[in-house]
Amino acid sequence: LPVFCRTCRNRILTEENIYFCGACWQSIEPVREPKCPRCGRPHPQRAGFEPVDDFVCSECSSRKLWVDRTFTAGLHVGVLREAIHLLKYQKKRLLAKPLAHLLFQAVGIHVESGSYDMLVPVPLHARRQRDRGFNQCELIGRHLCRLQEKTPLVPALQRVKNTPSFSKLGGAERRELIKKAFQLDPQVDMKKKRVLLIDDVVTTGATSHECAKTLRRKGAAGVDVIALAVVERS
């Protein structure tokens, strides 16, 4: 029997499309300029102005940041949001490949630039990874490595603090809970390394910034983030 797109329900899927038809994949909403280079979100203060690379939003400029730049494939709405949820919470691992392709199409120029020494996935706590069966950021990273040859995937971080779900928490609460949640694998030399951190969704940025802080304090020269989606501020 034919399988129909999970969004529009009126197009038959193929092995290439996986869960969503081509038209629905194309409907994913990108993050449009002007946007803040640090958190990757649309920049309401700069609406109507030309984008400026170093003009950060008011929230990013009000606190110390460990991430240099954030690049994302789109906003956390519609098809992209549903695809990420299917991968993470319904264990639809096949979606890792098209999502990695989507991310590579959006930010592959940074992955292939030769500016980074490694791709580092945001880790899950061992207990959560055991329950889920995989780390979605690492899965996406493996597919990214198949699309390019310059930047290797290095699981340099370990999550040592099993934090509760952040879904109903604000930025300040998330930042407090995530403190000291990560540590560097002792076998990885981070001195003067340029890191591209892989995340799935940037909500408040608390997780990626705590990861970046761990890496920078262990000697990393800089940390940028690539993520599938970013949540707009309300």
Side-chain angles (χ1 to χ4, degrees), residues 42-210:
H43 205 330
Q45 295 102 321
R46 296 292 297 171
F49 291 85
E50 289 295 320
V52 179
D53 288 344
D54 59 353
F55 197 101
V56 300
C57 67
S58 57
E59 184 167 328
C60 288
S61 61
S62 66
R63 58 191 176 90
K64 181 175 177 59
L65 298 177
W66 299 90
V67 168
D68 298 313
R69 296 179 297 173
T70 299
F71 310 105
T72 62
L75 294 174
H76 191 240
V77 294
V79 172
L80 184 53
R81 181 180 184 276
E82 186 172 355
I84 294 169
H85 277 229
L86 285 171
L87 172 62
K88 289 174 65 173
Y89 305 120
Q90 296 190 34
K91 303 181 180 181
K92 305 297 186 184
R93 297 192 196 196
L94 288 175
L95 277 165
K97 183 176 181 179
L99 285 171
H101 276 265
L102 176 73
L103 185 58
F104 189 73
Q105 288 171 3
V107 301
I109 186 172
H110 304 292
V111 182
E112 289 191 305
S113 66
S115 301
Y116 301 99
D117 297 293
M118 63 183 77
L119 288 163
V120 175
V122 171
L124 291 177
H125 188 269
R127 185 179 302 168
R128 184 168 296 182
Q129 183 159 339
R130 185 168 60 247
D131 292 341
R132 185 173 294 172
F134 60 92
N135 174 4
Q136 68 279 359
C137 295
E138 189 169 351
L139 273 183
I140 291 164
R142 289 178 196 165
H143 287 291
L144 283 175
C145 283
R146 295 188 185 108
L147 295 170
Q148 55 85 41
E149 298 179 352
K150 288 189 176 180
T151 313
L153 182 70
V154 181
L157 288 171
Q158 300 168 343
R159 191 162 187 155
V160 294
K161 184 177 177 182
N162 192 16
T163 54
S165 173
F166 287 167
S167 60
K168 297 181 180 180
L169 301 180
E173 294 170 304
R174 290 176 185 231
R175 286 192 291 272
E176 187 61 32
L177 278 175
I178 203 70
K179 282 182 179 178
K180 298 181 180 179
F182 304 98
Q183 68 179 21
L184 183 70
D185 184 332
Q187 298 183 20
V188 176
D189 178 13
M190 195 52 60
K191 297 280 180 62
K192 298 182 180 180
K193 298 294 191 299
R194 287 284 306 172
V195 177
L196 196 52
L197 187 70
I198 305 171
D199 205 352
D200 51 9
V201 180
V202 175
T203 306
T204 65
T207 299
S208 55
H209 282 281
E210 189 66 23

